[in-house]
Amino acid sequence: MTTATTDGAGATAPLPALERYEAVIGIEVHCQLKTASKMFCSCSTDYDGAPPNSHVCPVCLGLPGALPTINRRAVEHVLATGVAIDATTPAATRWDRKNYFYPDLPKGYQISQYDLPLASAGRLAFETSVGTVSIGITRAHLEEDTAKLIHATADDGQKVSLVDFNRSGAPLMEIVTDPDVRSAEQARRYAEELQLLLRAIGVSDADMERGQMRVEANVSLRARGTEPFGTRVEVKNMNSFRSVERAIAFEIERQAAALDGGETLTQDTRGWDENRGATYVMRSKEDSHDYRYFPEPDLPPLRVDASWLDEIRAGLPELPAARRTRYATEFGLSAYDAAVLVAEPRATMLFEGVRAAAPSTDAKVAANWVTGAFFGLLKTDPEAAARVDAGQLADLLARVATGELSGTNAKEVFAAHASSGDSVAAIVESRGLRQISNVDALGRVVDEVIAANPQAVADYRAGKPVLGFFVGQVMKATRGQANAALVQTAVRERLDGSAGS
């Protein structure tokens, strides 16, 4: 079977290599957790835009004698993630030191978890172009983030590397899949679904552009029909979901071409160059034994009792997959509409708010307004989108349903509400936008329009398609407030002579 990858416009590009080889891909995601303080000290994590090295202390600077203290909230975030992916949590876990030397790691080691993670053996399912895929998740563990290297040019023209320790010690969750991913598309969809899950349960903003979610992939190929894994290559520096898909697709083709040419692949770490659309060698890939893990002596084992997990489980919101299913079964929405609504938390909140304010509102109509007019505002004017009130939108849709507002005027009212925050009722009243549905009143306007356009009347009776012209003239005369369906009926009756025109 040939697998395809999608480009930014949604087009598909074939991956011929997958006719000969099977890709074996594992995904590692590092995710910054939403906590007020760092993982092992009280320094604030609100360092975005702050001056370099302004959110630091002896603990996150790795100074001798400084002792770490566990951030309970960060632990709960990982436990919540474990519950959400149906993972197993041990009764007791521990901390380990991962030893490596690099300028962004002040202690020369990172406090992490190795053989006893907080969550293991989970799963995450998602939809792809070929159906539902379920990926096993090996582990989700907690660790501290590194500092940030800044490469710059000094005043004298010399290249320098500086270190900003504001990020050092921030709580970081690493989520590692089983080698279950089989295509670039699956890798992208897994990352997208994971981001949605993390945002839904409130453990992270997971913004890839801000470095809050970093995706890495281990890619190898094996001949179709064989069992042993090939030589794996780690791919880094993928800063968007599109990059994840493109980088893995490139790496599959690169490895296939090398194998076809009789080359021996090496276990490397490669970076992704977005501009060139290619990966490049960064360094030789390390194995776990290279990090010389050993138990962290300054922290006790962490015990997780059943009641703590039950409390976390009870506090979880409805998960994205369950919400999509409910929207389809309870409200009759299409799989596409349900997925679009659930993929944007602000849209989900607005849709749910409309349903809560007016349960009788047609779900499909509400979904169309949220994914149409509201999504348009999110793209063009987020501040205006934030002013949209679910109760007011419910009122607007009710007025459209009863015929008080035409579709055109409803859009005008929606835009005015988003712009000013004024109520729908006030806008309709101040602008005189109530739809005219009085048959007698509309009949008088129709008669005037027909009398003023004798040539159009002759054209109609000659069989020309001018009915829309009359309807448009009536709508113009009533400033768009006429009920278009009633107008069309009245015009036809009069022109056909049934009303004694």
Side-chain angles (χ1 to χ4, degrees):
M1 180 183 68
T2 301
T3 302
T5 179
T6 58
D7 62 21
T12 60
L15 291 180
L18 293 184
E19 296 178 353
R20 308 184 303 281
Y21 300 101
E22 181 179 46
V24 178
I25 304 165
I27 304 295
E28 299 176 8
V29 172
H30 288 85
C31 174
Q32 288 183 2
L33 298 175
K34 289 176 69 172
T35 59
S37 58
K38 293 185 181 180
M39 185 61 232
F40 297 115
C41 66
S42 60
C43 288
S44 169
T45 55
D46 187 20
Y47 50 75
D48 230 6
N53 299 311
S54 59
H55 287 59
V56 296
C57 72
V59 174
C60 55
L61 285 174
L63 300 183
L67 294 176
T69 303
I70 299 170
N71 184 326
R72 179 186 177 94
R73 189 61 177 154
V75 172
E76 290 178 336
H77 281 337
V78 180
L79 293 176
T81 302
V83 171
I85 60 174
D86 293 324
T88 299
T89 294
T93 183
R94 70 159 186 254
W95 306 95
D96 297 281
R97 287 189 180 182
K98 181 181 180 181
N99 296 272
Y100 64 98
F101 298 93
Y102 206 63
D104 62 2
L105 196 63
K107 298 188 292 286
Y109 62 85
Q110 178 186 42
I111 300 178
S112 181
Q113 293 185 299
Y114 181 47
D115 56 345
L116 287 174
L118 279 166
S120 59
R123 299 203 73 81
L124 185 64
F126 50 89
E127 295 298 320
T128 72
S129 62
V130 295
T132 303
V133 173
S134 180
I135 300 298
I137 296 179
T138 307
R139 58 193 287 124
H141 69 258
L142 190 51
E143 60 191 23
E144 58 182 337
D145 209 344
T146 62
K148 182 178 180 180
L149 286 176
I150 300 173
H151 304 290
T153 303
D155 293 340
D156 60 2
Q158 295 292 315
K159 300 289 186 181
V160 296
S161 292
L162 307 174
V163 187
D164 179 3
F165 288 95
N166 281 344
R167 193 179 71 183
S168 177
L172 199 65
M173 174 168 58
E174 182 174 0
I175 304 170
V176 182
T177 74
D178 297 342
D180 289 350
V181 181
R182 291 293 177 265
S183 71
E185 182 204 0
Q186 287 184 17
R188 173 178 181 155
R189 286 292 301 118
Y190 166 79
E192 290 173 337
E193 186 70 12
L194 181 62
Q195 181 193 62
L196 184 60
L197 178 71
L198 297 175
R199 289 176 171 178
I201 64 178
V203 304
S204 175
D205 290 331
D207 190 330
M208 290 188 72
E209 290 185 357
R210 297 171 60 192
Q212 297 170 336
M213 178 175 171
R214 294 164 247 167
V215 180
E216 301 167 2
N218 289 295
V219 183
S220 66
L221 298 185
R222 62 186 175 191
R224 287 203 167 273
T226 63
E227 289 297 323
F229 291 162
T231 301
R232 64 188 173 94
V233 172
E234 183 179 38
V235 184
K236 291 178 174 285
N237 299 344
M238 299 176 290
N239 299 320
S240 69
F241 295 126
R242 180 173 182 267
S243 293
V244 169
E245 188 168 13
R246 291 183 68 213
I248 293 174
F250 173 86
E251 189 58 27
I252 289 171
E253 291 295 318
R254 185 194 71 83
Q255 291 187 26
L259 293 172
D260 288 344
E263 296 180 30
T264 299
L265 293 172
T266 57
Q267 187 171 304
D268 296 325
T269 295
R270 300 177 71 91
W272 169 247
D273 187 319
E274 184 69 30
N275 294 325
R276 290 176 50 235
T279 62
Y280 60 92
V281 176
M282 297 174 68
R283 59 179 178 271
S284 296
K285 171 65 180 170
E286 299 91 349
D287 284 311
S288 58
H289 63 264
D290 294 318
Y291 294 117
R292 296 178 293 114
Y293 283 97
F294 64 86
E296 167 58 59
D298 292 333
L299 289 171
L302 180 65
R303 304 193 181 280
V304 182
D305 59 42
S307 62
W308 192 13
L309 271 180
D310 289 341
E311 180 183 340
I312 291 171
R313 183 177 289 105
L316 285 181
E318 186 177 30
L319 300 181
R323 192 183 296 272
R324 286 193 295 264
T325 299
R326 179 169 65 86
Y327 283 2
T329 57
E330 184 177 332
F331 300 141
L333 297 183
S334 68
Y336 174 80
D337 284 341
V340 171
L341 282 174
V342 174
E344 171 50 65
R346 291 167 293 185
T348 304
M349 289 180 59
L350 182 59
F351 178 76
E352 292 281 358
V354 169
R355 294 289 307 173
S360 61
T361 302
D362 185 282
K364 176 61 176 175
V365 172
N368 286 344
W369 273 83
V370 174
T371 59
F374 181 70
F375 266 49
L377 276 181
L378 284 177
K379 293 179 181 178
T380 60
D381 192 348
E383 291 185 4
R387 285 191 286 270
V388 175
D389 178 79
Q392 294 302 315
L393 180 55
D395 183 19
L396 179 70
L397 300 186
R399 292 169 187 263
V400 173
T402 60
E404 182 182 334
L405 276 178
S406 68
T408 300
N409 287 344
K411 292 177 182 177
E412 180 182 336
V413 173
F414 178 83
H417 165 64
S419 177
S420 65
D422 292 342
S423 70
V424 167
I427 295 167
V428 170
E429 189 64 33
S430 65
R431 300 193 181 194
L433 294 176
R434 279 194 176 86
Q435 182 165 266
I436 301 171
S437 296
N438 182 281
V439 175
D440 292 336
L442 287 178
R444 288 191 292 271
V445 180
V446 170
D447 289 339
E448 292 172 2
V449 169
I450 288 175
N453 295 278
Q455 182 57 52
V457 172
D459 290 342
Y460 176 83
R461 289 175 176 162
K464 295 182 179 180
V466 293
L467 182 65
F469 166 78
F470 288 104
V471 174
Q473 291 300 303
V474 174
M475 297 303 291
K476 182 178 179 180
T478 59
R479 295 186 302 159
Q481 292 175 249
N483 185 314
L486 293 180
V487 170
Q488 190 173 50
T489 299
V491 170
R492 183 177 283 112
E493 287 176 347
R494 282 159 171 75
L495 291 177
D496 289 344
S498 61
S501 60

